[in-house]
Amino acid sequence: QSSLGVTSKDIAALMSSFEANHKLLMEGGSVRRLASKTDIADISEDPVALDLMNKAETQWLALKPALQAIATGSQATATALRTIVESTASAVESMDSAATYWGTTTRTTTMM
C-alpha cells in the first residue's frame, strides 16, 4: 500500500475495469439500462471513433506492462515510475481525444 492508500489490488481492479469498458465500447455487449429496461450496447461503426479508440488501446498496451508489474508486487523503482509517467502522458492524451469525441458526438436515432 502506498502513502496515498492505493494498493496493488486497487491498481489491478482499475486496470480490469478500464479494459472491460474499452472492450464494451469497441465490441458492444450487454449493459443494463434501468430506465428503458433493456440490455444493449451497440458496436460503433463510426470510423473516427474506432480510430480514436484503437489509438487509445495502443497507448494503453504500451502502459499496461509497467502498471501490471507494480500491481503484481514488483518494486516501484525510479525507472519503473518514470516509464509509467511517460507512458501515462501518451495514454491520457489518446484517451482524452476519444472521450472528447464520444462526449461531443450525438447519434441520430430517428433512422434506427
Side-chain angles (χ1 to χ4, degrees):
Q1 183 167 330
S2 76
S3 62
L4 298 175
V6 178
T7 67
S8 57
K9 286 184 182 180
D10 294 334
I11 294 170
L14 289 168
M15 290 172 65
S16 180
S17 177
F18 170 81
E19 289 180 329
N21 288 325
H22 185 81
K23 182 178 179 178
L24 184 63
L25 287 170
M26 293 295 290
E27 299 175 9
S30 179
V31 178
R32 184 74 174 155
R33 293 184 183 171
L34 296 178
S36 63
K37 297 185 179 176
T38 59
D39 293 332
I40 59 169
D42 294 334
I43 298 172
S44 177
E45 295 178 5
D46 179 345
V48 174
L50 292 173
D51 182 57
L52 289 167
M53 293 301 290
N54 283 327
K55 287 178 182 175
E57 182 174 29
T58 297
Q59 296 302 321
W60 165 246
L61 292 174
L63 171 60
K64 183 179 175 180
L67 284 175
Q68 203 162 31
I70 302 275
T72 58
S74 291
Q75 186 67 26
T77 64
T79 301
L81 293 175
R82 186 176 306 110
T83 298
I84 290 171
V85 168
E86 290 169 356
S87 296
T88 298
S90 297
V92 167
E93 184 178 322
S94 293
M95 291 174 202
D96 279 348
S97 295
T100 298
Y101 184 80
W102 282 101
T104 58
T105 302
T106 57
R107 286 183 34 189
T108 302
T109 57
T110 57
M111 302 299 284
M112 296 174 92

